[in-house]
Amino acid sequence: MYVAVKGGEKAIRNAHKLLAKRRRGDTSVPSLTVDQIAEQLALSVARVMCEGSLYDEGLAALAIKQARGDLIEAAFLIRAYRTTLPRFGYSETLDTAKMLVERRISATYKDLPGGQLLGPTFDYSHRLLDFAMAAEDEGALDAVESGTPSDEGMPRVTDLLSDEGLMEADPLPEASDAVGDLTREPLSFPADRDLRLQNLARGDEGFLLSLAYSSQRGYARTHPFTGEIRYGEVEVEFFAEELGFNVKLGAIKVTECQMVNQFSGSAKSPPKFTRGYGLVFGQVERKAMAMSMVDRALRWEELGEEQTAPVQDTEFVLSHSDNIQATGFVEHLKLPHYVDFQAELDLVRRMRAEWFAARDQQDPYAQTDLETGKEAAE
């Protein structure tokens, strides 16, 4: 560490002070509050909650402020904080069919039970800078027309296909099967789908997006249809053993995506559609879509397909999707490696001397500048 260098502790303290000063910025500009971040940078907050594996909008907003907007650093802070929290148990399975939906779209059916709800999205906006937002007072917001919330469940698009026998059965685990927990046990291989989905849910959005894109371009031969994307609020329940029934803990906002892929069938199974699944905290549609596409690609062995692409390599995908681990491996190179480098330096010097000595034995007339390794002029 730098502390080993003379004056290192003082330098580190000053570095922390400078970081705090740069984080605050110009003091004539009002300080950014945690509430402002939570309310106005909701998509960044959602990403930090996903990759930090903790649903808490206030803490995610605080982490973003502390990290000066570096979302990976913020996710790192959240995940570190998460390790200090007590564990009381596991919630019941979320029933997303009962979601209070704010947004729901399907690229497979124009008219579907429950209808399509565009909700808040950039999909239909022009990608032009709105300079009105640069003003301190953006003016009054236009009124938004809204319907009456319905308590009726909203069936998934994949359920409609299942009713016709066109969709594979949802591959649910047996009730007696233990569900893995990556927050308690390190990732190991082979990894079943429960661990794969956990890994992808908190994986780096950019990495998953690239993998999903590669699968669309022919690496794994997948070109799916968006069966459904839904975003909204869903209740979280916990089974209290001492009471003997489920207790509602509250509600969280999630994005769920199911991709529909064609499957040509096999000797044991007729042609049908298969699915890829994604579920993430908050409104992070791009992540949910990429996750569902990668999930489908990783199911190649289960479906009797051939492995032909990196996105189908379970160990490669899962081992490199976590940006917290990736950050640690990459950024540790900034720390002092003085002793290691001196050892490498001495080794390379000895190897060079031995190489030139061996060459001179074979060709005693060759002359070389040992300092530069360049051939001397005749």
Side-chain angles (χ1 to χ4, degrees):
M1 297 295 290
Y2 290 109
V3 182
V5 183
K6 185 177 181 180
E9 292 185 20
K10 182 178 179 180
I12 290 175
R13 285 196 298 269
N14 282 330
H16 288 166
K17 293 177 182 178
L18 181 59
L19 174 61
K21 183 177 180 180
R22 294 292 172 83
R23 179 190 296 118
R24 176 59 182 86
D26 188 347
T27 55
S28 66
V29 178
S31 176
L32 190 62
T33 68
V34 171
D35 288 340
Q36 286 176 315
I37 297 173
E39 291 294 328
Q40 300 177 41
L41 299 179
L43 302 186
S44 294
V45 168
R47 177 172 179 178
V48 169
M49 292 192 302
C50 286
E51 296 173 9
S53 301
L54 178 64
Y55 190 94
D56 191 306
E57 294 173 340
L59 289 178
L62 174 61
I64 291 173
K65 180 175 182 178
Q66 182 176 335
R68 299 177 64 195
D70 184 334
L71 300 188
I72 294 180
E73 178 69 17
F76 199 158
L77 292 171
I78 286 296
R79 202 177 293 186
Y81 175 77
R82 186 185 191 280
T83 63
T84 68
L85 300 176
R87 176 70 64 85
F88 297 106
Y90 297 93
S91 71
E92 295 296 295
T93 303
L94 297 181
D95 188 356
T96 55
K98 297 180 180 179
M99 179 188 295
L100 180 59
V101 175
E102 290 187 39
R103 172 167 162 78
R104 184 217 194 188
I105 60 170
S106 171
T108 53
Y109 289 101
K110 179 181 178 181
D111 299 314
L112 66 161
Q116 305 229 23
L117 303 175
L118 300 188
T121 177
F122 295 115
D123 291 349
Y124 317 106
S125 62
H126 297 293
R127 263 65 175 193
L128 300 174
L129 283 175
D130 185 354
F131 290 98
M133 292 186 179
E136 292 186 8
D137 184 6
E138 298 179 27
L141 297 176
D142 295 333
V144 178
E145 296 182 12
S146 59
T148 303
S150 174
D151 294 331
E152 296 182 4
M154 190 174 289
R156 304 179 186 86
V157 168
T158 50
D159 295 335
L160 303 177
L161 293 171
S162 296
D163 291 341
E164 295 186 54
L166 300 176
M167 172 63 67
E168 64 163 336
D170 204 354
L172 298 175
E174 297 292 335
S176 58
D177 292 346
V179 178
D181 185 351
L182 287 181
T183 67
R184 289 294 189 90
E185 300 291 338
L187 179 66
S188 60
F189 299 98
D192 292 332
R193 197 180 184 208
D194 57 338
L195 290 178
R196 298 200 304 262
L197 288 173
Q198 288 180 50
N199 181 284
L200 298 178
R202 67 178 192 168
D204 181 73
E205 180 178 329
F207 181 74
L208 296 184
L209 181 63
S210 295
L211 289 175
Y213 179 46
S214 74
S215 71
Q216 286 182 282
R217 297 188 64 246
Y219 296 89
R221 303 186 305 278
T222 59
H223 187 79
F225 295 93
T226 302
E228 183 177 355
I229 297 173
R230 59 171 63 192
Y231 160 69
E233 198 171 83
V234 62
E235 290 185 340
V236 179
E237 296 183 347
F238 178 77
F239 180 76
E241 293 186 0
E242 60 274 18
L243 299 177
F245 55 83
N246 290 342
V247 177
K248 295 181 180 179
L249 301 181
I252 62 174
K253 292 186 176 182
V254 297
T255 301
E256 181 184 50
C257 175
Q258 293 211 46
M259 288 289 181
V260 177
N261 290 67
Q262 186 176 352
F263 177 59
S264 58
S266 63
K268 298 181 179 179
S269 179
K272 57 188 174 184
F273 291 109
T274 58
R275 72 183 84 209
Y277 187 76
L279 181 74
V280 294
F281 289 149
Q283 187 177 8
V284 193
E285 293 179 15
R286 186 167 48 231
K287 168 76 172 288
M289 294 177 72
M291 176 181 172
S292 62
M293 293 167 67
V294 175
D295 168 54
R296 173 58 182 83
L298 292 175
R299 297 181 60 205
W300 64 272
E301 188 172 15
E302 167 192 342
L303 296 171
E305 297 173 336
E306 182 182 358
Q307 181 183 356
T308 59
V311 69
Q312 296 172 292
D313 189 328
T314 302
E315 188 165 347
F316 172 79
V317 172
L318 302 189
S319 296
H320 300 97
S321 64
D322 194 308
N323 55 25
I324 306 303
Q325 293 186 22
T327 296
F329 268 87
V330 172
E331 292 197 347
H332 97 282
L333 298 175
K334 294 187 292 187
L335 299 176
H337 289 75
Y338 308 133
V339 175
D340 292 341
F341 181 71
Q342 288 301 318
E344 291 280 339
L345 191 60
D346 291 341
L347 177 61
V348 171
R349 284 171 175 165
R350 290 199 309 270
M351 292 170 63
R352 281 172 57 84
E354 293 171 0
W355 186 89
F356 287 122
R359 193 202 61 175
D360 291 343
Q361 285 184 349
Q362 296 178 356
D363 185 2
Y365 297 102
Q367 294 181 352
T368 305
D369 184 346
L370 291 178
E371 290 295 326
T372 64
K374 296 180 179 179
E375 294 290 337
E378 293 184 359

